[in-house]
Amino acid sequence: MGFIWSLIVGGIIGAVAGAITKKGSSMGIIANIAAGLVGSALGQWLLGSWGPSLAGMAIIPSIVGAVILVLIVSFFVRKMD
C-alpha cells in the first residue's frame, strides 16, 4: 500500500509542478508521476526534508524539485524540435 500511496502523491506533485510551469497540459499521468517522484528526490537532495510530509516525501522541497525538473526537461525537449 505504501508504494501505491507514493505513486499517488508523486502524481499530485508532478501535476502541481506542471501547473506551476504551465507545461501540465502536455504531460500525461505517467510523466506527472515520474516528474513527481524524481523531482521529490531532487528537491530533498537539494533542500533537505523540511516542512509537511506525505508518503515519505517532504511536500515543499518535492514541488520545488519537480518544478526544476520539468523546466530542465522542457528546455531540452524544446531544443530538439
Short mmCIF file of all heavy atoms in Angstrom, two decimals:
data_model
loop_
_atom_site.label_atom_id
_atom_site.label_comp_id
_atom_site.label_asym_id
_atom_site.label_seq_id
_atom_site.Cartn_x
_atom_site.Cartn_y
_atom_site.Cartn_z
N MET A 1 0.82 -1.20 0.00
CA MET A 1 0.00 0.00 0.00
C MET A 1 0.86 1.25 0.00
O MET A 1 0.47 2.26 -0.57
CB MET A 1 -0.92 -0.04 1.22
CG MET A 1 -1.91 1.06 1.25
SD MET A 1 -3.08 0.87 -0.10
CE MET A 1 -4.07 2.29 0.12
N GLY A 2 2.03 1.20 0.60
CA GLY A 2 2.93 2.35 0.64
C GLY A 2 3.42 2.75 -0.74
O GLY A 2 3.58 3.93 -1.03
N PHE A 3 3.64 1.77 -1.62
CA PHE A 3 4.09 2.04 -2.98
C PHE A 3 3.01 2.77 -3.77
O PHE A 3 3.29 3.75 -4.47
CB PHE A 3 4.48 0.73 -3.67
CG PHE A 3 4.92 0.91 -5.09
CD1 PHE A 3 6.12 1.52 -5.38
CD2 PHE A 3 4.12 0.48 -6.13
CE1 PHE A 3 6.53 1.70 -6.69
CE2 PHE A 3 4.51 0.65 -7.44
CZ PHE A 3 5.73 1.26 -7.72
N ILE A 4 1.78 2.33 -3.62
CA ILE A 4 0.66 2.98 -4.33
C ILE A 4 0.49 4.40 -3.80
O ILE A 4 0.25 5.33 -4.58
CB ILE A 4 -0.63 2.15 -4.17
CG1 ILE A 4 -0.47 0.81 -4.89
CG2 ILE A 4 -1.84 2.91 -4.69
CD1 ILE A 4 -1.58 -0.16 -4.63
N TRP A 5 0.59 4.59 -2.50
CA TRP A 5 0.48 5.92 -1.91
C TRP A 5 1.58 6.83 -2.44
O TRP A 5 1.33 8.01 -2.74
CB TRP A 5 0.53 5.80 -0.39
CG TRP A 5 0.30 7.06 0.34
CD1 TRP A 5 1.18 7.65 1.20
CD2 TRP A 5 -0.84 7.91 0.33
NE1 TRP A 5 0.65 8.81 1.71
CE2 TRP A 5 -0.60 8.99 1.19
CE3 TRP A 5 -2.06 7.86 -0.34
CZ2 TRP A 5 -1.51 10.01 1.39
CZ3 TRP A 5 -2.98 8.88 -0.12
CH2 TRP A 5 -2.70 9.93 0.73
N SER A 6 2.80 6.32 -2.59
CA SER A 6 3.89 7.12 -3.15
C SER A 6 3.61 7.51 -4.59
O SER A 6 3.91 8.64 -5.01
CB SER A 6 5.20 6.33 -3.09
OG SER A 6 5.59 6.13 -1.76
N LEU A 7 3.05 6.60 -5.38
CA LEU A 7 2.70 6.92 -6.76
C LEU A 7 1.63 8.00 -6.83
O LEU A 7 1.70 8.91 -7.67
CB LEU A 7 2.22 5.67 -7.50
CG LEU A 7 3.26 4.61 -7.78
CD1 LEU A 7 2.62 3.41 -8.47
CD2 LEU A 7 4.39 5.15 -8.63
N ILE A 8 0.64 7.92 -5.95
CA ILE A 8 -0.43 8.92 -5.94
C ILE A 8 0.12 10.30 -5.56
O ILE A 8 -0.14 11.30 -6.24
CB ILE A 8 -1.56 8.50 -4.98
CG1 ILE A 8 -2.28 7.27 -5.54
CG2 ILE A 8 -2.54 9.64 -4.74
CD1 ILE A 8 -3.23 6.61 -4.56
N VAL A 9 0.91 10.35 -4.49
CA VAL A 9 1.49 11.63 -4.06
C VAL A 9 2.46 12.15 -5.11
O VAL A 9 2.48 13.35 -5.41
CB VAL A 9 2.17 11.49 -2.68
CG1 VAL A 9 2.92 12.74 -2.30
CG2 VAL A 9 1.14 11.15 -1.62
N GLY A 10 3.25 11.27 -5.72
CA GLY A 10 4.15 11.68 -6.80
C GLY A 10 3.41 12.25 -7.99
O GLY A 10 3.83 13.24 -8.59
N GLY A 11 2.27 11.65 -8.34
CA GLY A 11 1.46 12.17 -9.43
C GLY A 11 0.90 13.54 -9.12
O GLY A 11 0.86 14.42 -9.99
N ILE A 12 0.47 13.74 -7.89
CA ILE A 12 -0.07 15.05 -7.49
C ILE A 12 1.04 16.10 -7.51
O ILE A 12 0.84 17.21 -8.01
CB ILE A 12 -0.74 14.97 -6.11
CG1 ILE A 12 -2.00 14.10 -6.20
CG2 ILE A 12 -1.07 16.35 -5.57
CD1 ILE A 12 -2.60 13.73 -4.87
N ILE A 13 2.20 15.75 -7.01
CA ILE A 13 3.34 16.69 -7.02
C ILE A 13 3.72 17.02 -8.46
O ILE A 13 3.98 18.19 -8.79
CB ILE A 13 4.53 16.11 -6.24
CG1 ILE A 13 4.21 16.12 -4.75
CG2 ILE A 13 5.82 16.90 -6.50
CD1 ILE A 13 5.22 15.39 -3.89
N GLY A 14 3.75 16.03 -9.33
CA GLY A 14 4.06 16.28 -10.74
C GLY A 14 3.01 17.15 -11.41
O GLY A 14 3.33 18.02 -12.22
N ALA A 15 1.74 16.94 -11.09
CA ALA A 15 0.67 17.76 -11.65
C ALA A 15 0.77 19.21 -11.18
O ALA A 15 0.57 20.14 -11.96
CB ALA A 15 -0.69 17.17 -11.29
N VAL A 16 1.10 19.39 -9.90
CA VAL A 16 1.27 20.75 -9.38
C VAL A 16 2.46 21.43 -10.06
O VAL A 16 2.38 22.60 -10.46
CB VAL A 16 1.45 20.72 -7.84
CG1 VAL A 16 1.90 22.07 -7.30
CG2 VAL A 16 0.17 20.28 -7.17
N ALA A 17 3.55 20.71 -10.24
CA ALA A 17 4.72 21.28 -10.92
C ALA A 17 4.39 21.62 -12.37
O ALA A 17 4.81 22.67 -12.87
CB ALA A 17 5.89 20.29 -10.87
N GLY A 18 3.61 20.78 -13.05
CA GLY A 18 3.20 21.08 -14.41
C GLY A 18 2.31 22.31 -14.48
O GLY A 18 2.40 23.11 -15.40
N ALA A 19 1.43 22.47 -13.49
CA ALA A 19 0.55 23.64 -13.45
C ALA A 19 1.34 24.91 -13.17
O ALA A 19 1.07 25.96 -13.75
CB ALA A 19 -0.52 23.45 -12.40
N ILE A 20 2.33 24.83 -12.29
CA ILE A 20 3.15 26.00 -11.97
C ILE A 20 3.95 26.44 -13.19
O ILE A 20 4.07 27.63 -13.47
CB ILE A 20 4.09 25.71 -10.78
CG1 ILE A 20 3.26 25.59 -9.50
CG2 ILE A 20 5.16 26.78 -10.63
CD1 ILE A 20 4.04 25.10 -8.30
N THR A 21 4.49 25.49 -13.94
CA THR A 21 5.33 25.82 -15.09
C THR A 21 4.52 25.99 -16.37
O THR A 21 5.09 26.28 -17.41
CB THR A 21 6.38 24.72 -15.33
OG1 THR A 21 5.71 23.49 -15.56
CG2 THR A 21 7.32 24.61 -14.16
N LYS A 22 3.23 25.78 -16.33
CA LYS A 22 2.33 25.86 -17.48
C LYS A 22 2.64 24.79 -18.54
O LYS A 22 2.36 24.95 -19.70
CB LYS A 22 2.40 27.25 -18.15
CG LYS A 22 2.17 28.40 -17.23
CD LYS A 22 0.71 28.62 -16.96
CE LYS A 22 0.45 29.96 -16.32
NZ LYS A 22 0.55 30.00 -14.88
N LYS A 23 3.26 23.68 -18.11
CA LYS A 23 3.59 22.58 -19.00
C LYS A 23 2.73 21.35 -18.71
O LYS A 23 2.93 20.30 -19.27
CB LYS A 23 5.06 22.18 -18.85
CG LYS A 23 6.04 23.30 -18.96
CD LYS A 23 6.33 23.63 -20.37
CE LYS A 23 7.46 24.64 -20.42
NZ LYS A 23 7.22 25.74 -21.32
N GLY A 24 1.78 21.47 -17.81
CA GLY A 24 0.99 20.34 -17.36
C GLY A 24 0.08 19.75 -18.41
O GLY A 24 -0.20 18.56 -18.41
N SER A 25 -0.39 20.57 -19.35
CA SER A 25 -1.31 20.05 -20.37
C SER A 25 -0.60 19.12 -21.35
O SER A 25 -1.23 18.25 -21.94
CB SER A 25 -1.96 21.21 -21.12
OG SER A 25 -0.99 21.98 -21.77
N SER A 26 0.70 19.30 -21.52
CA SER A 26 1.43 18.44 -22.46
C SER A 26 1.95 17.17 -21.81
O SER A 26 2.45 16.29 -22.50
CB SER A 26 2.59 19.22 -23.08
OG SER A 26 3.51 19.59 -22.08
N MET A 27 1.85 17.06 -20.49
CA MET A 27 2.34 15.89 -19.78
C MET A 27 1.20 14.93 -19.49
O MET A 27 0.10 15.36 -19.18
CB MET A 27 2.99 16.31 -18.45
CG MET A 27 4.25 17.11 -18.61
SD MET A 27 4.97 17.80 -17.11
CE MET A 27 4.69 16.60 -15.88
N GLY A 28 1.44 13.66 -19.58
CA GLY A 28 0.43 12.67 -19.24
C GLY A 28 0.56 12.24 -17.78
O GLY A 28 1.40 12.75 -17.04
N ILE A 29 -0.27 11.30 -17.38
CA ILE A 29 -0.27 10.83 -16.00
C ILE A 29 1.05 10.15 -15.63
O ILE A 29 1.58 10.35 -14.54
CB ILE A 29 -1.48 9.92 -15.71
CG1 ILE A 29 -1.56 9.56 -14.24
CG2 ILE A 29 -1.43 8.65 -16.54
CD1 ILE A 29 -2.03 10.66 -13.37
N ILE A 30 1.62 9.39 -16.56
CA ILE A 30 2.90 8.72 -16.29
C ILE A 30 4.01 9.74 -16.12
O ILE A 30 4.86 9.62 -15.23
CB ILE A 30 3.24 7.71 -17.41
CG1 ILE A 30 2.12 6.67 -17.58
CG2 ILE A 30 4.58 7.04 -17.17
CD1 ILE A 30 1.88 5.81 -16.36
N ALA A 31 4.01 10.77 -16.98
CA ALA A 31 5.03 11.81 -16.87
C ALA A 31 4.86 12.60 -15.58
O ALA A 31 5.85 13.00 -14.97
CB ALA A 31 4.96 12.74 -18.08
N ASN A 32 3.62 12.84 -15.15
CA ASN A 32 3.39 13.53 -13.88
C ASN A 32 3.93 12.72 -12.71
O ASN A 32 4.57 13.27 -11.82
CB ASN A 32 1.90 13.79 -13.66
CG ASN A 32 1.39 14.98 -14.41
OD1 ASN A 32 2.16 15.87 -14.77
ND2 ASN A 32 0.11 15.01 -14.66
N ILE A 33 3.68 11.42 -12.72
CA ILE A 33 4.19 10.56 -11.64
C ILE A 33 5.71 10.54 -11.64
O ILE A 33 6.35 10.69 -10.60
CB ILE A 33 3.61 9.14 -11.76
CG1 ILE A 33 2.09 9.17 -11.49
CG2 ILE A 33 4.31 8.18 -10.81
CD1 ILE A 33 1.39 7.85 -11.79
N ALA A 34 6.30 10.39 -12.83
CA ALA A 34 7.77 10.36 -12.92
C ALA A 34 8.37 11.69 -12.48
O ALA A 34 9.35 11.71 -11.72
CB ALA A 34 8.19 10.04 -14.35
N ALA A 35 7.78 12.81 -12.92
CA ALA A 35 8.29 14.13 -12.52
C ALA A 35 8.14 14.32 -11.01
O ALA A 35 9.02 14.89 -10.37
CB ALA A 35 7.55 15.23 -13.27
N GLY A 36 7.04 13.83 -10.45
CA GLY A 36 6.84 13.96 -9.01
C GLY A 36 7.83 13.15 -8.20
O GLY A 36 8.39 13.63 -7.22
N LEU A 37 8.06 11.91 -8.61
CA LEU A 37 8.97 11.04 -7.86
C LEU A 37 10.42 11.47 -8.01
O LEU A 37 11.15 11.58 -7.02
CB LEU A 37 8.79 9.59 -8.29
CG LEU A 37 7.44 8.95 -7.95
CD1 LEU A 37 7.35 7.56 -8.55
CD2 LEU A 37 7.22 8.92 -6.46
N VAL A 38 10.85 11.73 -9.24
CA VAL A 38 12.23 12.15 -9.46
C VAL A 38 12.45 13.55 -8.91
O VAL A 38 13.48 13.83 -8.29
CB VAL A 38 12.60 12.07 -10.96
CG1 VAL A 38 13.98 12.61 -11.22
CG2 VAL A 38 12.49 10.63 -11.45
N GLY A 39 11.47 14.44 -9.11
CA GLY A 39 11.57 15.79 -8.57
C GLY A 39 11.61 15.79 -7.06
O GLY A 39 12.27 16.62 -6.45
N SER A 40 10.89 14.88 -6.44
CA SER A 40 10.92 14.76 -4.99
C SER A 40 12.31 14.40 -4.50
O SER A 40 12.82 14.99 -3.54
CB SER A 40 9.91 13.71 -4.53
OG SER A 40 10.00 13.51 -3.15
N ALA A 41 12.92 13.45 -5.15
CA ALA A 41 14.28 13.06 -4.77
C ALA A 41 15.25 14.21 -5.00
O ALA A 41 16.11 14.49 -4.14
CB ALA A 41 14.71 11.83 -5.57
N LEU A 42 15.11 14.90 -6.12
CA LEU A 42 15.98 16.04 -6.43
C LEU A 42 15.79 17.17 -5.41
O LEU A 42 16.76 17.71 -4.88
CB LEU A 42 15.69 16.56 -7.84
CG LEU A 42 16.43 17.81 -8.29
CD1 LEU A 42 17.91 17.51 -8.44
CD2 LEU A 42 15.85 18.33 -9.59
N GLY A 43 14.54 17.51 -5.13
CA GLY A 43 14.26 18.59 -4.19
C GLY A 43 14.74 18.29 -2.78
O GLY A 43 15.28 19.17 -2.11
N GLN A 44 14.55 17.06 -2.34
CA GLN A 44 15.00 16.71 -0.99
C GLN A 44 16.52 16.61 -0.93
O GLN A 44 17.11 16.88 0.11
CB GLN A 44 14.34 15.41 -0.54
CG GLN A 44 12.87 15.61 -0.26
CD GLN A 44 12.20 14.38 0.27
OE1 GLN A 44 12.75 13.70 1.14
NE2 GLN A 44 11.02 14.09 -0.23
N TRP A 45 17.16 16.26 -2.03
CA TRP A 45 18.62 16.24 -2.06
C TRP A 45 19.17 17.66 -2.00
O TRP A 45 20.15 17.92 -1.30
CB TRP A 45 19.08 15.52 -3.34
CG TRP A 45 20.56 15.48 -3.48
CD1 TRP A 45 21.45 14.75 -2.75
CD2 TRP A 45 21.33 16.22 -4.43
NE1 TRP A 45 22.73 14.99 -3.19
CE2 TRP A 45 22.69 15.89 -4.22
CE3 TRP A 45 21.02 17.11 -5.43
CZ2 TRP A 45 23.71 16.42 -4.97
CZ3 TRP A 45 22.05 17.64 -6.18
CH2 TRP A 45 23.37 17.30 -5.95
N LEU A 46 18.52 18.59 -2.72
CA LEU A 46 18.99 19.97 -2.74
C LEU A 46 18.61 20.74 -1.48
O LEU A 46 19.41 21.52 -0.96
CB LEU A 46 18.41 20.71 -3.96
CG LEU A 46 18.93 20.31 -5.32
CD1 LEU A 46 18.12 21.00 -6.42
CD2 LEU A 46 20.40 20.65 -5.46
N LEU A 47 17.36 20.56 -1.01
CA LEU A 47 16.83 21.42 0.06
C LEU A 47 16.63 20.71 1.39
O LEU A 47 16.28 21.37 2.37
CB LEU A 47 15.48 22.00 -0.40
CG LEU A 47 15.51 22.81 -1.69
CD1 LEU A 47 14.11 23.16 -2.12
CD2 LEU A 47 16.36 24.05 -1.52
N GLY A 48 16.78 19.41 1.44
CA GLY A 48 16.54 18.68 2.68
C GLY A 48 15.07 18.31 2.79
O GLY A 48 14.27 18.54 1.89
N SER A 49 14.70 17.73 3.91
CA SER A 49 13.33 17.25 4.07
C SER A 49 12.63 18.01 5.19
O SER A 49 12.31 17.48 6.23
CB SER A 49 13.31 15.75 4.35
OG SER A 49 14.07 15.46 5.50
N TRP A 50 12.39 19.29 4.95
CA TRP A 50 11.70 20.13 5.93
C TRP A 50 10.26 20.35 5.47
O TRP A 50 9.93 20.15 4.33
CB TRP A 50 12.43 21.45 6.12
CG TRP A 50 12.69 22.17 4.83
CD1 TRP A 50 13.78 22.00 4.02
CD2 TRP A 50 11.87 23.11 4.17
NE1 TRP A 50 13.68 22.79 2.91
CE2 TRP A 50 12.50 23.49 2.97
CE3 TRP A 50 10.64 23.68 4.47
CZ2 TRP A 50 11.96 24.42 2.09
CZ3 TRP A 50 10.10 24.60 3.58
CH2 TRP A 50 10.76 24.96 2.41
N GLY A 51 9.44 20.74 6.38
CA GLY A 51 8.04 21.02 6.05
C GLY A 51 7.17 19.77 6.18
O GLY A 51 7.63 18.72 6.61
N PRO A 52 5.91 19.91 5.80
CA PRO A 52 4.99 18.77 5.90
C PRO A 52 5.41 17.64 4.97
O PRO A 52 6.01 17.87 3.92
CB PRO A 52 3.64 19.35 5.50
CG PRO A 52 3.94 20.60 4.76
CD PRO A 52 5.25 21.10 5.27
N SER A 53 5.07 16.42 5.35
CA SER A 53 5.49 15.25 4.60
C SER A 53 4.32 14.31 4.36
O SER A 53 3.48 14.12 5.24
CB SER A 53 6.58 14.53 5.39
OG SER A 53 7.02 13.39 4.71
N LEU A 54 4.25 13.75 3.17
CA LEU A 54 3.28 12.72 2.81
C LEU A 54 4.01 11.60 2.09
O LEU A 54 4.82 11.85 1.20
CB LEU A 54 2.21 13.28 1.85
CG LEU A 54 1.05 14.03 2.44
CD1 LEU A 54 0.20 14.61 1.34
CD2 LEU A 54 0.21 13.15 3.32
N ALA A 55 3.73 10.37 2.46
CA ALA A 55 4.32 9.18 1.83
C ALA A 55 5.84 9.26 1.79
O ALA A 55 6.46 8.83 0.83
CB ALA A 55 3.75 8.99 0.43
N GLY A 56 6.44 9.84 2.80
CA GLY A 56 7.89 9.92 2.87
C GLY A 56 8.48 11.03 2.03
O GLY A 56 9.70 11.11 1.88
N MET A 57 7.65 11.90 1.45
CA MET A 57 8.13 13.00 0.63
C MET A 57 7.79 14.32 1.30
O MET A 57 6.63 14.57 1.61
CB MET A 57 7.47 12.97 -0.75
CG MET A 57 7.82 11.77 -1.58
SD MET A 57 6.98 11.82 -3.16
CE MET A 57 6.04 10.31 -3.04
N ALA A 58 8.80 15.15 1.52
CA ALA A 58 8.56 16.49 2.04
C ALA A 58 7.94 17.31 0.92
O ALA A 58 8.51 17.43 -0.16
CB ALA A 58 9.86 17.12 2.53
N ILE A 59 6.76 17.85 1.15
CA ILE A 59 5.95 18.44 0.09
C ILE A 59 6.62 19.63 -0.59
O ILE A 59 6.73 19.66 -1.81
CB ILE A 59 4.56 18.84 0.64
CG1 ILE A 59 3.84 17.63 1.22
CG2 ILE A 59 3.72 19.52 -0.43
CD1 ILE A 59 3.58 16.54 0.25
N ILE A 60 7.06 20.62 0.17
CA ILE A 60 7.59 21.85 -0.43
C ILE A 60 8.88 21.59 -1.21
O ILE A 60 8.99 21.99 -2.37
CB ILE A 60 7.74 22.95 0.63
CG1 ILE A 60 6.36 23.30 1.18
CG2 ILE A 60 8.43 24.20 0.05
CD1 ILE A 60 6.37 24.17 2.40
N PRO A 61 9.90 20.93 -0.63
CA PRO A 61 11.09 20.63 -1.42
C PRO A 61 10.78 19.73 -2.63
O PRO A 61 11.40 19.89 -3.68
CB PRO A 61 12.02 19.91 -0.45
CG PRO A 61 11.57 20.34 0.89
CD PRO A 61 10.09 20.54 0.77
N SER A 62 9.80 18.85 -2.50
CA SER A 62 9.43 17.98 -3.62
C SER A 62 8.84 18.77 -4.77
O SER A 62 9.17 18.52 -5.94
CB SER A 62 8.43 16.92 -3.16
OG SER A 62 9.01 16.08 -2.19
N ILE A 63 7.98 19.73 -4.46
CA ILE A 63 7.39 20.56 -5.52
C ILE A 63 8.46 21.41 -6.19
O ILE A 63 8.49 21.53 -7.42
CB ILE A 63 6.23 21.41 -4.96
CG1 ILE A 63 5.06 20.50 -4.59
CG2 ILE A 63 5.80 22.47 -5.97
CD1 ILE A 63 3.92 21.20 -3.88
N VAL A 64 9.35 21.99 -5.39
CA VAL A 64 10.44 22.80 -5.96
C VAL A 64 11.32 21.94 -6.87
O VAL A 64 11.67 22.34 -7.98
CB VAL A 64 11.27 23.46 -4.84
CG1 VAL A 64 12.52 24.12 -5.39
CG2 VAL A 64 10.43 24.47 -4.08
N GLY A 65 11.66 20.74 -6.42
CA GLY A 65 12.47 19.84 -7.24
C GLY A 65 11.76 19.42 -8.51
O GLY A 65 12.38 19.35 -9.58
N ALA A 66 10.46 19.16 -8.43
CA ALA A 66 9.70 18.77 -9.62
C ALA A 66 9.59 19.93 -10.60
O ALA A 66 9.67 19.72 -11.82
CB ALA A 66 8.32 18.28 -9.21
N VAL A 67 9.44 21.15 -10.10
CA VAL A 67 9.40 22.32 -10.99
C VAL A 67 10.74 22.47 -11.71
O VAL A 67 10.78 22.69 -12.92
CB VAL A 67 9.05 23.61 -10.19
CG1 VAL A 67 9.33 24.86 -11.00
CG2 VAL A 67 7.60 23.57 -9.76
N ILE A 68 11.83 22.33 -10.99
CA ILE A 68 13.16 22.40 -11.60
C ILE A 68 13.30 21.32 -12.67
O ILE A 68 13.77 21.59 -13.78
CB ILE A 68 14.26 22.27 -10.53
CG1 ILE A 68 14.28 23.49 -9.62
CG2 ILE A 68 15.63 22.06 -11.17
CD1 ILE A 68 15.15 23.33 -8.39
N LEU A 69 12.88 20.11 -12.35
CA LEU A 69 12.99 19.00 -13.30
C LEU A 69 12.14 19.25 -14.55
O LEU A 69 12.62 19.06 -15.67
CB LEU A 69 12.55 17.69 -12.63
CG LEU A 69 12.62 16.46 -13.50
CD1 LEU A 69 14.08 16.09 -13.76
CD2 LEU A 69 11.89 15.31 -12.84
N VAL A 70 10.90 19.70 -14.39
CA VAL A 70 10.03 19.96 -15.54
C VAL A 70 10.62 21.06 -16.42
O VAL A 70 10.59 20.97 -17.65
CB VAL A 70 8.60 20.31 -15.06
CG1 VAL A 70 7.76 20.87 -16.19
CG2 VAL A 70 7.92 19.08 -14.47
N LEU A 71 11.16 22.12 -15.80
CA LEU A 71 11.76 23.19 -16.59
C LEU A 71 12.97 22.72 -17.38
O LEU A 71 13.14 23.07 -18.54
CB LEU A 71 12.14 24.36 -15.68
CG LEU A 71 10.98 25.17 -15.11
CD1 LEU A 71 11.49 26.19 -14.09
CD2 LEU A 71 10.20 25.86 -16.21
N ILE A 72 13.82 21.91 -16.75
CA ILE A 72 15.01 21.40 -17.44
C ILE A 72 14.62 20.48 -18.59
O ILE A 72 15.13 20.61 -19.71
CB ILE A 72 15.94 20.68 -16.44
CG1 ILE A 72 16.58 21.69 -15.50
CG2 ILE A 72 17.02 19.88 -17.16
CD1 ILE A 72 17.34 21.07 -14.34
N VAL A 73 13.70 19.55 -18.33
CA VAL A 73 13.28 18.61 -19.37
C VAL A 73 12.59 19.34 -20.52
O VAL A 73 12.86 19.08 -21.69
CB VAL A 73 12.38 17.50 -18.79
CG1 VAL A 73 11.73 16.69 -19.87
CG2 VAL A 73 13.18 16.61 -17.86
N SER A 74 11.71 20.30 -20.21
CA SER A 74 11.01 21.02 -21.28
C SER A 74 11.98 21.88 -22.09
O SER A 74 11.79 22.06 -23.29
CB SER A 74 9.89 21.87 -20.71
OG SER A 74 10.39 22.89 -19.90
N PHE A 75 13.04 22.38 -21.46
CA PHE A 75 14.06 23.15 -22.19
C PHE A 75 14.75 22.27 -23.22
O PHE A 75 14.91 22.66 -24.38
CB PHE A 75 15.08 23.73 -21.22
CG PHE A 75 16.23 24.43 -21.89
CD1 PHE A 75 16.06 25.70 -22.43
CD2 PHE A 75 17.47 23.82 -21.99
CE1 PHE A 75 17.11 26.34 -23.05
CE2 PHE A 75 18.52 24.46 -22.62
CZ PHE A 75 18.34 25.72 -23.15
N PHE A 76 15.15 21.06 -22.83
CA PHE A 76 15.86 20.17 -23.74
C PHE A 76 14.93 19.59 -24.81
O PHE A 76 15.34 19.40 -25.95
CB PHE A 76 16.59 19.07 -22.98
CG PHE A 76 17.83 19.55 -22.33
CD1 PHE A 76 17.93 19.59 -20.95
CD2 PHE A 76 18.92 20.00 -23.07
CE1 PHE A 76 19.08 20.05 -20.33
CE2 PHE A 76 20.06 20.46 -22.47
CZ PHE A 76 20.15 20.49 -21.09
N VAL A 77 13.69 19.32 -24.46
CA VAL A 77 12.75 18.79 -25.44
C VAL A 77 12.44 19.87 -26.49
O VAL A 77 12.35 19.58 -27.68
CB VAL A 77 11.46 18.29 -24.75
CG1 VAL A 77 10.37 18.01 -25.75
CG2 VAL A 77 11.76 17.05 -23.92
N ARG A 78 12.32 21.10 -26.05
CA ARG A 78 12.06 22.21 -26.99
C ARG A 78 13.25 22.42 -27.90
O ARG A 78 13.11 22.74 -29.08
CB ARG A 78 11.78 23.48 -26.20
CG ARG A 78 11.35 24.63 -27.05
CD ARG A 78 10.97 25.81 -26.18
NE ARG A 78 11.89 25.99 -25.10
CZ ARG A 78 12.61 27.10 -24.88
NH1 ARG A 78 12.47 28.11 -25.65
NH2 ARG A 78 13.43 27.18 -23.85
N LYS A 79 14.48 22.25 -27.41
CA LYS A 79 15.69 22.41 -28.20
C LYS A 79 15.76 21.37 -29.31
O LYS A 79 16.30 21.62 -30.38
CB LYS A 79 16.95 22.30 -27.33
CG LYS A 79 17.24 23.51 -26.54
CD LYS A 79 17.97 24.48 -27.39
CE LYS A 79 18.67 25.48 -26.51
NZ LYS A 79 19.26 26.53 -27.26
N MET A 80 15.24 20.16 -29.06
CA MET A 80 15.29 19.09 -30.05
C MET A 80 14.36 19.33 -31.23
O MET A 80 14.59 18.84 -32.31
CB MET A 80 14.97 17.75 -29.40
CG MET A 80 16.02 17.22 -28.51
SD MET A 80 15.52 15.59 -27.97
CE MET A 80 16.61 15.32 -26.64
N ASP A 81 13.27 20.04 -31.00
CA ASP A 81 12.29 20.26 -32.07
C ASP A 81 12.78 21.18 -33.14
O ASP A 81 13.59 21.89 -33.19
CB ASP A 81 10.99 20.83 -31.50
CG ASP A 81 10.27 19.78 -30.67
OD1 ASP A 81 10.55 18.59 -30.86
OD2 ASP A 81 9.44 20.18 -29.84
#
